[in-house]
Structures are given as C-alpha cells and as structure tokens.
Amino acid sequence: MNSFITTTRRKLLVLAGGAAMATAVTLPAFAQEAYPSRPITFVCAFPAGSGADVLVRYFANAIQESSGHTIIVENKPGASGSISAEYVARSDPDGYTVYVHSGFSTAVNYSLWNTPAIDPRSDLMGVAGINEQPFYIVVGVDSEIQSIEQLNAYLLEAGDEATYGVSATSGRLLAAQYLSELGGTPVEVPYRTGMEMVPDVVNLGVDFAVTDPVTAMVQEREGRLRVLATGAGRRLDVAPEVPSLTEFGMDVDQMGVWAAYVPAGTPQDVVDTLAGMFQGVLETDDTQAYLRTMGGVPWIATPAEVDERMAQNVELGAYLVDLAELPKN
C-alpha cells in the first residue's frame, strides 16, 4: 500500500512538473504574440458626423486598408475631450486603444479643471503626428472690412461697440491673445458650434469671428467668409495669402496639432508599429492633399516629438487660460 502511494505521488509530481514546464513554454509565446492580433480601436472625442469624427475615420479607414488590420472607431464625446482622454489613459497599455485628437485641446483641458482627471504629459504617450492647424480670424464676405489691418483699426476705434463670435475653447484663446496684443475691447458673442456661428458672421450680426480651420476654409471656398489672419506664428503654404498676426507685431503663435496617443506604459515596439502605420498613410499624396483641404499642414512627427509638443502646449495652455480668464471646473 505504501509502495502504491509513493509511486502515485511520484507520478503526480512528474505530471505537475510537466504541466509547469508546458506553462512556462506557453506563456512567453503568448506574451510575445505579434501585434496587432485583434482589432484596434481609435477613440474620437466628438460625436459621429462631426469634423473630428470625419478626420478620425479617414485615418481608421486608410490604415485599415494599407495594413490589413481591422480598425474600429469609438465615439466618446463630452467635457471638451476630457472624457475620451481619460478613457484612453485608463485603458490597458497594449496598443489596442488609440486616442486620435487635438493635442493642443488636450493640453489646454489640463488647465481647465481644478483637479484634472489625467496629466496628458505622464498619462498618455505620443504615437504619431497628423497635422498642424491653427484657428483663423474671419469676417462675412460682404463686410466692409477687407483686411486684418482694417479690422485692427476698426476695433480700436469702436471699443465695446464692436462684437465678435467664438464657438470653441481654442477660438476663445486666440481671440483673447489677439485682443490683448491689440488693445481692443469688443464684446464676445458665444456659440455652441462653428456652424451655428457662421450665419451671424455671414449676415454681419457680429463684426468678426475666430473659427476652426475647416469651417474657415470651406466657407471661404463657398464664398461666404473672408479669412483675414491665422493664429499660427507664420504664414502657411496651405493659405499663403493669409497673413500671420506676428506680421503686425503681435506675439501670437497658437498652432494646434492633431496626433495619435496611447496609454502610458505601452511597450515601445507596439508604439513604433503604430507610428509606422500612421506614417505610411501620412506620406501618401492623397492624405497630404486631404489634410490641406482642412486648413492645416501635414505633421509627420516621431513619438518623442509628439510628447515634446504636448509638454510645450500644456505650458502654453496654462498661460492662455489665465489670459482669457476662462472658468475652471
């Protein structure tokens, strides 16, 4: 009987050892599974059908077509992008949840909360740049104001009799710095969206507006708006006829950027693989042309360069939020 028990114990130990060895062999193989092996989700901070959604879906479709990997777009709107940014930052750092959004807006949001849910400098990792796109100062095409010089003169003369429209945080920040540099005191008229603002600009209900590049360029092409100046620190080749405010002695350089991000802690080889997917699409003529129709210029940037721009924008955002006296949540 004792012999039987001893023999059985030996067999069990051998079997257990074999199972442990099999597990030891299997787990590393599983951990080293090639990326990606399942669908990748691109998170969009705005609703389906929005301008942001169109851009995110463009890259999702283009990368899926070029790489052969399934890309899903998930819309998580709310709190000016803070909800989606936190969702991505708290996701598993495995490369399957990617935040495609304005890095400038994400950086500014950090200064709009008394207790920010995340710090984009440490909770997100840059993957790839997409484009640079500033906001623009516009007037209705029938306005007597034909240039930024004329607008400057009018605002200084009219004081608080003048009005201007804004619809987004980035627009408010550009307006605040422009007016601070100029010394103008027009009255702000807020709108929920850029498209809701357009009719009042066209009908001269407000003297000027600060709007996003897509709205500015599309409405100008349709003959409804006139673009007077860019908030970028330089003229852009996408609109070489549009001057920068720096040309008039104003220290204004608010260049928004779009980029892709993943949760902090994502393995570098996974980040590099994703970066290659984006860069492959960004280098195509079709994508370059598409991004230019949106009033910006393509921005091919490494993960490190995306991280560096985020850090710079968090610092700039803190200054601009204070300048604009925006309330914190």
Side-chain angles (χ1 to χ4, degrees), residues 55 59 128-133 213 255-259 282 290-292 294-300 309:
L55 179 63
F59 276 89
I130 293 177
N131 73 343
E132 296 180 306
Q133 51 179 44
M255 178 66 89
V257 295
W258 270 71
L282 280 163
Y290 170 73
L291 291 176
R292 292 178 189 279
M294 303 184 70
V297 292
W299 182 48
I300 298 177
R309 181 67 72 91

Side-chain angles (χ1 to χ4, degrees), residues 2 12 77 88 122 125 132 155 182 209 211 215 241 261 282:
N2 288 338
L12 289 173
V88 174
S122 57
M125 292 175 64
E132 296 180 306
L155 293 176
L182 178 66
T211 192
T215 300
E241 74 285 356
Y261 304 87
L282 280 163

Side-chain angles (χ1 to χ4, degrees), residues 214-237:
V214 178
T215 300
M217 294 303 165
V218 170
Q219 295 299 320
E220 183 180 51
R221 285 196 294 268
E222 293 181 356
R224 306 183 75 200
L225 298 182
R226 178 181 295 111
V227 179
L228 300 185
T230 171
R234 67 183 190 277
R235 290 196 185 214
L236 303 178
D237 59 7

Side-chain angles (χ1 to χ4, degrees), residues 1-267:
M1 182 70 174
N2 288 338
S3 175
F4 172 77
I5 293 175
T6 301
T7 302
T8 301
R9 284 176 177 169
R10 286 174 180 170
K11 287 182 179 179
L12 289 173
L13 288 172
V14 169
L15 289 172
M21 290 179 63
T23 302
V25 171
T26 303
L27 285 177
F30 176 78
Q32 295 172 11
E33 189 176 68
Y35 170 85
S37 60
R38 52 190 171 88
I40 301 170
T41 297
F42 283 7
V43 177
C44 177
F46 290 93
S50 63
D53 178 70
V54 171
L55 179 63
V56 174
R57 289 181 189 278
Y58 175 90
F59 276 89
N61 293 334
I63 290 176
Q64 178 169 289
E65 183 175 340
S66 64
S67 69
H69 299 297
T70 301
I71 311 293
I72 299 170
V73 175
E74 185 173 356
N75 299 86
K76 285 193 169 295
S80 300
S82 294
I83 290 175
S84 53
E86 182 180 3
Y87 172 79
V88 174
R90 303 290 183 244
S91 297
D92 291 337
D94 53 14
Y96 289 100
T97 307
V98 183
Y99 190 40
V100 183
H101 190 54
S102 166
F104 183 71
S105 295
T106 303
V108 168
N109 283 344
Y110 179 69
S111 294
L112 290 176
W113 296 87
N114 289 310
T115 307
I118 66 166
D119 184 334
R121 295 166 295 185
S122 57
D123 294 326
L124 294 173
M125 292 175 64
V127 171
I130 293 177
N131 73 343
E132 296 180 306
Q133 51 179 44
F135 270 52
Y136 291 87
I137 297 173
V138 302
V139 294
V141 72
D142 294 327
S143 172
E144 294 181 355
I145 297 170
Q146 301 285 311
S147 67
I148 189 66
E149 297 98 322
Q150 291 179 356
L151 178 62
N152 292 345
Y154 170 74
L155 293 176
L156 290 175
E157 180 180 351
D160 60 9
E161 295 297 315
T163 58
Y164 69 99
V166 291
S167 64
T169 298
S170 294
R172 285 187 170 85
L173 297 181
L174 177 55
Q177 192 173 19
Y178 164 56
L179 295 172
S180 175
E181 293 280 331
L182 178 66
T185 57
V187 176
E188 177 187 300
V189 181
Y191 295 84
R192 195 172 64 88
T193 68
M195 288 309 298
E196 288 183 1
M197 179 173 65
V198 167
D200 277 358
V201 184
V202 173
N203 296 325
L204 310 184
V206 291
D207 294 306
F208 77 97
V210 181
T211 192
D212 65 272
V214 178
T215 300
M217 294 303 165
V218 170
Q219 295 299 320
E220 183 180 51
R221 285 196 294 268
E222 293 181 356
R224 306 183 75 200
L225 298 182
R226 178 181 295 111
V227 179
L228 300 185
T230 171
R234 67 183 190 277
R235 290 196 185 214
L236 303 178
D237 59 7
V238 68
E241 74 285 356
V242 178
S244 167
L245 293 173
T246 57
E247 297 174 34
F248 304 92
M250 299 182 191
D251 185 18
V252 178
D253 185 2
Q254 295 186 32
M255 178 66 89
V257 295
W258 270 71
Y261 304 87
V262 290
T266 301

